[in-house]
Amino acid sequence: MRTLALDIGNTAVKYGCFEGNDLVETASGQTREQVVAAVQRWRPRHAVLASVAAPTATWAAMLRQEVNGTVLEFQPAATPLPISTTYATPHTLGADRLAAAVGAAWLRPGHDTLIVDAGTAIKCDLVEGGHTFRGGSIAPGLAMRFRALHTFTGRLPLVEMPEEVAAPLPLTGDDTVSSIRSGVLNGAAAEVNGFITSYREQYPGLAVVLAGGDAAFFQPRLKGLIFGIPELVLIGLHRILAYNVKL
């Protein structure tokens, strides 16, 4: 059965087309017109969508014009889930964080898993025992850190990511641009590695799953075995749809 998952993020809109449990097509940075074209071409039986940027009603109305079956608007505080959560304020919980947790629980059943989702924000979230979302941490993402240094100072330039994101970075910058890159990029990598080390002290068998738009930067810089799953949120949305529609 064909289904579609739509992830409306702070920076980009991403969709995933599923055939059964297999993700067969995905695209990011999509406009509403491009999403409609993909839906008309894919012809999904059911669809699920989630947003951290804006209400889903307009997007859901668009999908309902094209999809004959269920169009599920994922709401963390209201939608039934295949995992449990101990988060104290589910009404404030980002849909992307919880969808990623569902995806990780499905891909790593029975395992303590730390999700590192490196996008607009860097989120480190714990799924305990493969079935319980505990919460985690939220910190500024790489682009946000670069912009903050430029915005809140008088003379520091706006620096961008290097073209080769996986290339080694000097620890000691020898000009302003390289110094900012060292502080932002080496600092962010050290920060995430610190979280991983702390969690592994509590959960010795911890698996680490890496997702998000800046995953390619973090992949070679994180310690230990890291499972890179860029489409983790889409996979989690699909599992939430499957749980609610009984695919």
Side-chain angles (χ1 to χ4, degrees):
M1 180 182 296
R2 290 185 168 188
T3 58
L4 180 131
L6 184 63
D7 174 23
I8 305 165
N10 288 301
T11 304
V13 174
K14 180 184 291 187
Y15 72 78
C17 299
F18 289 82
E19 185 79 64
N21 289 326
D22 297 326
L23 178 61
V24 298
E25 178 185 327
T26 183
S28 185
Q30 298 295 286
T31 65
R32 194 180 304 273
E33 292 74 19
Q34 288 171 316
V35 172
V36 170
V39 173
Q40 291 176 341
R41 175 174 46 77
W42 185 245
R43 292 297 178 190
R45 181 70 179 87
H46 304 289
V48 57
L49 71 158
S51 173
V52 297
T56 57
T58 301
W59 284 95
M62 176 272 291
L63 285 175
R64 290 190 176 102
Q65 292 180 347
E66 305 292 341
V67 177
N68 291 326
T70 299
V71 174
L72 177 66
E73 297 179 66
F74 174 45
Q75 304 293 338
T79 306
L81 295 171
I83 64 172
S84 60
T85 174
T86 61
Y87 207 71
T89 56
H91 59 284
T92 70
L93 178 58
D96 57 340
R97 294 175 69 193
L98 196 47
V102 172
W106 187 67
L107 293 169
R108 304 286 299 165
H111 290 270
D112 297 319
T113 302
L114 183 68
I115 302 161
V116 178
D117 190 346
T120 304
I122 298 171
K123 294 154 286 190
C124 297
D125 285 320
L126 177 68
V127 179
E128 190 174 72
H131 52 69
T132 303
F133 176 74
R134 294 294 190 192
S137 62
I138 306 172
L142 300 181
M144 196 182 300
R145 295 176 194 223
F146 282 127
R147 284 199 303 271
L149 282 174
H150 173 64
T151 301
F152 295 107
T153 61
R155 298 181 62 186
L156 290 179
L158 179 59
V159 177
E160 297 180 349
M161 291 284 291
E163 291 185 5
E164 297 295 330
V165 295
L169 285 167
L171 182 63
T172 305
D174 59 6
D175 58 23
T176 300
V177 169
S178 61
S179 295
I180 290 173
R181 281 183 174 155
S182 177
V184 168
L185 301 178
N186 288 325
E191 177 184 311
V192 174
N193 274 313
F195 274 113
I196 292 172
T197 297
S198 296
Y199 273 109
R200 281 180 170 152
E201 290 174 355
Q202 296 184 47
Y203 301 92
L206 186 77
V208 179
V209 173
L210 176 63
D214 286 326
F217 166 78
F218 283 98
Q219 182 80 52
R221 294 175 170 87
L222 299 185
K223 298 175 182 178
L225 180 61
I226 308 296
F227 298 92
I229 307 175
E231 313 306 338
L232 185 64
V233 172
L234 293 176
I235 293 170
L237 288 174
H238 172 71
R239 297 315 308 166
I240 292 167
L241 177 65
Y243 183 75
N244 283 271
V245 181
K246 303 297 187 289
L247 300 181

